[in-house]
Amino acid sequence: MDETDEALIKRVLAGETDLYARLLERYRQRLARYAVRMLGSEADAEDVLQETFVRGYRSLARCQPDRFRYWLFGILINRCRTFASQRSRRQSVISSNDYVVASVSTRYMDDQYEWRQAIAWAMTRLPTDQREAFLLKHVEDLSYEEMQELTGVRIPALKMRVFRAREELRRLLVEKVIG
């Protein structure tokens, strides 16, 4: 029988620190998926994910146990923002895998793999705020209210970011397919 997040947090705070790993395993895959898509690199995502887990552990006592999932996701979002901001200071364009960029230059993309690569490529071209909103809404399937709680951005702004992201993705993908 799996314990609830609340029960595990209580036990971790009481000194059973090894149970923190069990908490993380529940959400690791979802958090990792978001980080990879947000940062465009598995290595960068893994670094940010580890920072998130460490920060989460250090401040676990401040977490509302029934909101652990959202609280940890919020830490990840902030770490991704910080990482992307620091990276953009070092380089003007988000780095991407040259192989991925080359693979989307094919004239016709009838293979699902090529489409996934094209979408990943297009996602790296979105401004960070739009990519974040798009991923939270359409990949993580969060409501706008949940997104607002996690990001601190008001719902109308989030809706506009998602709309602009969809439009830009459409434009980029059409260019790649036609052009």
Side-chain angles (χ1 to χ4, degrees), residues 124-151:
T124 66
R125 299 314 190 256
L126 291 177
T128 303
D129 61 338
Q130 290 177 18
R131 183 170 54 248
E132 175 184 89
F134 182 87
L135 290 171
L136 291 173
K137 183 65 182 164
H138 294 295
V139 176
E140 299 306 325
D141 200 29
L142 298 180
S143 69
Y144 282 108
E145 291 76 17
E146 291 169 322
M147 291 169 61
Q148 178 178 326
E149 184 177 337
L150 286 172
T151 64

Side-chain angles (χ1 to χ4, degrees), residues 20-148:
Y20 186 63
R22 191 183 309 170
L23 268 172
L24 298 181
E25 280 307 309
R26 292 179 178 178
Y27 304 107
R28 181 179 179 69
Q29 187 174 16
R30 185 176 190 185
L31 295 171
R33 180 182 64 221
Y34 174 82
V36 167
R37 289 182 172 149
M38 191 64 199
L39 300 174
S41 159
E42 286 184 29
D44 292 344
E46 186 60 33
D47 289 346
V48 167
L49 202 56
Q50 291 306 314
E51 284 182 44
T52 298
F53 294 160
V54 169
R55 286 174 185 258
Y57 180 76
R58 287 182 182 156
S59 57
L60 189 60
R62 294 190 303 243
C63 171
Q64 292 179 347
D66 62 329
R67 305 285 299 157
F68 178 75
R69 176 178 90 156
Y70 295 108
W71 177 79
L72 192 61
F73 210 112
I75 294 172
L76 178 67
I77 289 169
N78 287 332
R79 296 309 313 143
C80 285
R81 285 176 178 171
T82 300
F83 184 89
S85 172
Q86 290 170 345
R87 180 173 55 190
S88 70
R89 286 187 210 124
R90 291 188 304 264
Q91 61 191 48
S92 61
V93 178
I94 294 176
S95 65
S96 60
N97 184 323
D98 290 336
Y99 174 75
V100 173
V101 174
S103 74
V104 288
S105 65
T106 59
R107 180 118 176 107
Y108 299 101
M109 294 182 240
D110 51 11
D111 180 8
Q112 270 190 332
Y113 174 78
E114 289 179 356
W115 270 110
R116 283 193 301 271
Q117 295 303 323
I119 291 168
W121 171 84
M123 289 294 292
T124 66
R125 299 314 190 256
L126 291 177
T128 303
D129 61 338
Q130 290 177 18
R131 183 170 54 248
E132 175 184 89
F134 182 87
L135 290 171
L136 291 173
K137 183 65 182 164
H138 294 295
V139 176
E140 299 306 325
D141 200 29
L142 298 180
S143 69
Y144 282 108
E145 291 76 17
E146 291 169 322
M147 291 169 61
Q148 178 178 326

